[in-house]
Amino acid sequence: MTRSAWRDVPPLQVRRFAALALEEVPVLAQDILREIRAEYPGLPVVLDDSGEPMALVGIRRALEGFVQQLAAADRPRYHPEVFQEFGRGEGLEGRSLDSLQAIYRLGVRLAWRRLAEIGQQTEIPPPAMYELAESGFEYLDGLVDQSVRGYAEAAARQAGERLRLQRKLMESLLAERRPEPQPQPHSVLGAEGGLDERAARVGWPLPERVAVGVLLRPAREAVAPAVGEGVLLDMEAEQPRMVVPDPDAAGRPELLRRAMTGWSGAIGPPVPLADAAKSLRWAQAAIGLMQRGLLPAGEVLHCTEHTEALVLLQPEELIEDLTRRCLAPLEHCGPAHGRRLAQTLLAWLETRGGAPEVAARLGVHPQTVRYRLRQIRELWGDEIDDPDRRFELELVLRARRLRGELGRP
């Protein structure tokens, strides 16, 4: 271990140096604070309980601690709570630590200049003064560490509070709203759940339209997608949710596509802000179909691109009942033959063409289509000419195709 040069300085000389330095501390602290304010005129003045600037208190305590420990031939100490508070203040004010570190460096430079003068006055040997300079920068590192700790605490507290407020805002947005017997203009959203106030507290301008997304985690510890500040994101739910403002705005779809790389889920249709819960319901419905293998998995789907599947596959009980009634004539045809007739019937309903058009759609011979169409007319009779019945048949046959029961032409 390197021997301290201060141990070779006579104790009386060390005490004299420390005494003169301590006498200078109040004036030196004032000088340092004045220089700091001149260099950083926008720096706010925060007073302690006694009405004294906290910055002045911190500077004075830092100087006193440094000099006192020097006189005791010990490592410099400081008051961590003071400098942690400085860091917390920077964080709460939304500033970076760069300016605070620059202020510390300015203070150390000014303090060293005065201590060097006292060292010459008390004839402290150069090696001891060099060591003092090194200790000063070490001391500075300690101050910065404490401020960084306070800054991190403030940042974490702010982030946690913002997430809490953001979740409250999303709860208000996504709550099912009962129709008002007498609507109140300009306050339907603001008065119900304090939506205006909650949005203002997180700095979220209320948009006219939103789309709500539901995500599926690629892994339990997956990092939240970088959706940007304008998108509200709740990662606390088992299936994370997000509210996308103005989803059709220029650049928004591409931004979301990039942010969602590696994620899967569904984004509901754009709706007025007051109907956000409806967009959520469609996104949840799409998630359910994805999990059943009826919609593509492994990506973030937009419900507006899968309207047919959502409309036809969602009301499952109703569609199944309609399917049984509409396709009852196929019950005695056998599975394979019944499937071929169903394919032909759907192709005919979709093309409204003759045998050549239907045959081209199915990839079979026109004569085969003519044979099947005769069978279809025998099975359904005149009902096949009824517009309402044709609509119902096309509806249930498209639903069967979406479920993979008919294949695609």
Side-chain angles (χ1 to χ4, degrees):
M1 183 176 180
T2 305
R3 178 180 174 84
S4 171
W6 281 89
R7 294 187 181 275
D8 297 328
V9 181
L12 183 61
Q13 198 172 352
V14 173
R15 287 196 294 272
R16 183 163 176 255
F17 173 88
L20 289 174
L22 285 174
E23 288 178 9
E24 286 286 320
V25 163
V27 175
L28 179 57
Q30 290 280 4
D31 292 343
I32 291 174
L33 182 59
R34 185 165 51 252
E35 289 287 339
I36 288 172
R37 285 179 177 171
E39 189 78 18
Y40 301 92
L43 193 67
V45 177
V46 181
L47 304 179
D48 64 9
D49 295 338
S50 66
E52 192 173 23
M54 286 188 63
L56 181 61
V57 175
I59 294 169
R60 191 168 61 240
R61 287 184 180 179
L63 292 170
E64 289 172 350
F66 183 72
V67 175
Q68 287 170 351
Q69 297 307 313
L70 174 66
D74 200 355
R75 293 177 65 82
R77 295 179 184 176
Y78 36 79
H79 299 271
E81 66 282 356
V82 174
F83 300 96
Q84 288 175 15
E85 188 60 36
F86 286 165
R88 277 191 286 269
E90 293 295 292
L92 293 174
E93 291 295 329
R95 294 187 294 270
S96 73
L97 279 174
D98 293 341
S99 60
L100 188 60
Q101 294 185 47
I103 288 169
Y104 285 168
R105 288 193 293 269
L106 175 60
V108 168
R109 188 167 66 250
L110 295 172
W112 166 246
R113 188 181 302 164
R114 184 66 187 111
L115 291 177
E117 293 173 355
I118 296 173
Q120 288 181 340
Q121 183 180 346
T122 54
E123 299 181 346
I124 300 296
M129 293 305 295
Y130 298 151
E131 187 178 309
L132 182 66
E134 292 178 359
S135 298
F137 286 107
E138 181 182 347
Y139 193 63
L140 172 63
D141 289 341
L143 301 184
V144 171
D145 286 345
Q146 294 301 322
S147 293
V148 168
R149 179 177 300 180
Y151 187 90
E153 290 175 1
R157 190 184 308 139
Q158 282 188 314
E161 178 64 8
R162 179 177 175 80
L163 287 175
R164 186 186 70 81
L165 293 174
Q166 186 170 291
R167 283 196 294 272
K168 289 291 185 181
L169 172 59
M170 291 184 69
E171 289 173 6
S172 297
L173 283 169
L174 301 179
E176 293 285 353
R177 303 182 186 280
R178 297 179 181 178
E180 297 284 344
Q182 294 181 345
Q184 302 291 327
H186 308 297
S187 63
V188 174
L189 291 178
E192 189 173 354
L195 185 58
D196 286 332
E197 181 180 351
R198 287 179 177 176
R201 292 180 70 182
V202 298
W204 196 68
L206 291 177
E208 292 186 3
R209 296 175 68 79
V210 296
V212 181
V214 178
L215 304 179
L216 298 174
R217 298 178 189 271
R220 174 62 59 180
E221 303 300 328
V223 177
V227 292
E229 292 185 2
V231 178
L232 301 179
L233 183 64
D234 179 10
M235 294 295 295
E236 295 298 314
E238 181 64 26
Q239 293 181 345
R241 300 180 300 177
M242 64 179 180
V243 177
V244 183
D246 301 318
D248 297 324
R252 180 79 76 185
E254 178 62 19
L255 176 64
L256 287 177
R257 186 188 66 78
R258 292 179 181 176
M260 293 298 160
T261 301
W263 285 76
S264 61
I267 299 178
V271 295
L273 182 64
D275 294 330
K278 296 179 181 178
S279 184
L280 173 63
R281 284 203 306 272
W282 283 112
Q284 291 172 329
I287 291 291
L289 294 178
M290 289 173 66
Q291 293 174 328
R292 291 169 53 194
L294 299 177
L295 281 179
E299 58 182 305
V300 178
L301 304 179
H302 290 265
C303 289
T304 51
E305 298 175 1
H306 299 272
T307 304
E308 182 183 9
L310 287 166
V311 170
L312 295 182
L313 298 180
Q314 257 307 105
E316 192 169 4
E317 295 79 10
L318 293 175
I319 290 293
E320 286 298 328
D321 179 71
L322 184 61
T323 299
R324 283 192 295 271
R325 287 187 284 111
C326 288
L327 301 185
L330 294 177
E331 288 181 358
H332 305 292
C333 293
H337 187 53
R339 185 169 182 268
R340 287 192 292 271
L341 289 180
Q343 288 174 328
T344 303
L345 176 56
L346 178 57
W348 176 70
L349 291 169
E350 288 180 330
T351 61
R352 295 292 193 270
E357 290 83 3
V358 176
R361 189 172 182 84
L362 295 176
V364 298
H365 195 278
Q367 189 60 36
T368 302
V369 170
R370 293 188 184 94
Y371 170 72
R372 293 180 187 174
L373 288 176
R374 284 195 297 270
Q375 284 189 296
I376 288 170
R377 184 162 290 280
E378 290 173 2
L379 290 170
W380 272 276
D382 293 339
E383 288 186 357
I384 203 69
D385 296 319
D386 182 82
D388 291 335
R389 178 52 58 89
R390 286 203 303 267
F391 173 79
E392 291 177 343
L393 282 167
E394 185 172 355
L395 196 70
V396 299
L397 289 170
R398 281 176 175 265
R400 288 190 64 184
R401 184 171 63 192
L402 286 169
R403 290 197 294 264
E405 297 173 6
L406 294 184
R408 293 190 174 274

